[in-house]
Amino acid sequence: EFNLIISDTYPITEEQIPFEKRNINTIKITRRGGGENRISSDLLVYAVKKAVRHIIKTDSKINLFMTTSTYNTYKIVTDSFMQSEII
């Protein structure tokens, strides 16, 4: 089981993660620069895709915590999760 924490438009703090999920394997991905601006980020999407590939190889459950723009969320889902059968 893994937590995948993706901070894009706002940071995600440990207190926002359910207590029972705080001590499991966690991958954190944060978009650098831009702050609260809602912009598309191919680098962020690529970093998530790499993390998802790693987690899928371990055959683990993914707990997803995200503060991403609508567009980045769409790209993450289509590029990382919908393609998971061929990764």
Side-chain angles (χ1 to χ4, degrees), residues 1-4 24-27 50-63 84 87:
E1 184 173 9
F2 276 83
N3 290 329
L4 181 54
I24 63 173
N25 294 319
T26 299
I27 298 173
K50 256 176 80 171
V52 169
R53 283 181 179 172
H54 169 73
I55 296 169
I56 286 173
K57 287 178 184 175
T58 67
D59 199 30
S60 296
K61 177 179 157 183
I62 300 174
N63 303 311
S84 64
I87 294 176

